[in-house]
Amino acid sequence: MTQIMAVILAYIFVLVGLGGLVIYNYWQYRQATLLDTGDKDAQ
Amino acid sequence: MNQWLHYLANPTRMGRVLRWLLPWVVGLVLVNVPVFFYFALVASPPDYQQGETVRIMYIHVPAAYMGVMVFAVMAVMGFFYLVWRHEMAMVCIQALLPIGWVFTTLCLISGSLWGKPIWGTYWVWDARLTSVFILWLLYMVIFVLGRAFDNLEMAKRPVAIMCLVGAINLPIIKFSVEWWNSLHQPASLLRAGGPAMPAEMLTPLLLGLLLASLLGLMVFIWRVLTILTNVGVGRGGGRI
């Protein structure tokens, strides 16, 4: 494996891993707060 | 300090503090993301020995730091839960667990990708690598433990104990490179005599540490507010 390939793969894994963590938990948070405020249209 | 902790043990007050904090943390994350990538991928030079792979260090070290720090906080929360039965401490463990697991996973993957071109192998059963792998397993054990009981109420005590017991691994991770002959390099940031790297490499590393901390805090706030909204505290609902 070349050095550049290792760097690209490492950054892709980080972007996918942390991106997934952020997007999933933001979505969960939005769902919970929308349900809590009774914003039916936005659901 | 004690008074402050008992103040935050109230879910309503904790929720109020976190809701106030959230926009500031999100704003700082959004500012830090492009700044970090600029310094990590553009402004910093390649290393004279490691070449371009040194850029993996700017994500590997923050991921390792977060994996260890999140578990340390979980251990402190486990202690609070066992001693004072603060339900918010268990909510914090619930919120922190996937964050620490993701960071530890990324630490292991990025370390392996760095190891192949530099060491010539993705993995060795070296003291540092093995102790971090054990940390990753501990996160999994706590996750499974949280789901091994009929409801969360029964799981809380074993989970808190496991967080405390697992914390024994944290000093082993930190000092593994000194206690045993290790392929992994010793500490180059937190060491006597200051950091062992030039400013142009130290900057993206510190920015990475800041960004990882802010990102972890942002997700933690979302998760705590979600748990508080969905199941409340002390109602026996939810899952670890």
Side-chain angles (χ1 to χ4, degrees), chain B residues 52-96:
Chain B
E52 295 293 341
T53 46
V54 73
R55 301 185 197 285
I56 297 176
M57 186 184 70
Y58 308 139
I59 49 175
H60 173 72
V61 176
Y65 157 82
M66 284 300 288
V68 170
M69 285 306 290
V70 166
F71 203 96
V73 177
M74 281 169 56
V76 172
M77 291 300 140
F79 177 77
F80 286 155
Y81 181 78
L82 289 172
V83 174
W84 289 295
R85 294 276 177 220
H86 281 328
E87 291 292 337
M88 275 310 296
M90 192 49 62
V91 171
C92 288
I93 291 174
Q94 275 179 274
L96 286 167

Side-chain angles (χ1 to χ4, degrees), chain A residues 21-37, chain B residues 15 18-20 22-23 26 218-230:
Chain A
L21 184 76
V22 167
I23 291 166
Y24 174 76
N25 284 292
Y26 178 69
W27 180 74
Q28 292 276 314
Y29 167 72
R30 284 291 294 169
Q31 290 292 109
T33 47
L34 289 179
L35 285 171
D36 198 37
T37 53
Chain B
L18 293 182
R19 264 185 283 272
W20 176 83
L22 185 58
V26 172
M218 180 177 78
V219 176
F220 169 74
I221 294 174
W222 283 339
R223 287 186 60 79
V224 169
L225 292 176
T226 305
I227 294 167
L228 290 179
T229 311
N230 279 348

Side-chain angles (χ1 to χ4, degrees), chain B residues 142-212:
Chain B
I142 294 169
F143 180 79
V144 171
L145 203 57
R147 287 167 178 255
F149 295 87
D150 288 339
N151 62 56
L152 183 61
E153 279 309 309
M154 292 168 74
K156 284 175 178 175
R157 197 175 153 81
V159 162
I161 292 170
M162 197 61 215
C163 288
L164 269 180
V165 172
I168 296 167
N169 189 41
L170 301 183
I172 296 175
I173 293 173
K174 167 70 183 156
F175 296 109
S176 56
V177 285
E178 294 168 27
W179 291 343
W180 295 284
N181 286 325
S182 176
L183 196 57
H184 195 284
Q185 61 267 48
S188 50
L189 198 60
L190 295 173
R191 64 178 207 128
M197 62 182 74
E200 55 264 38
M201 290 177 174
L202 188 61
T203 308
L205 184 59
L206 293 177
L207 282 168
L209 288 167
L210 178 68
L211 181 60

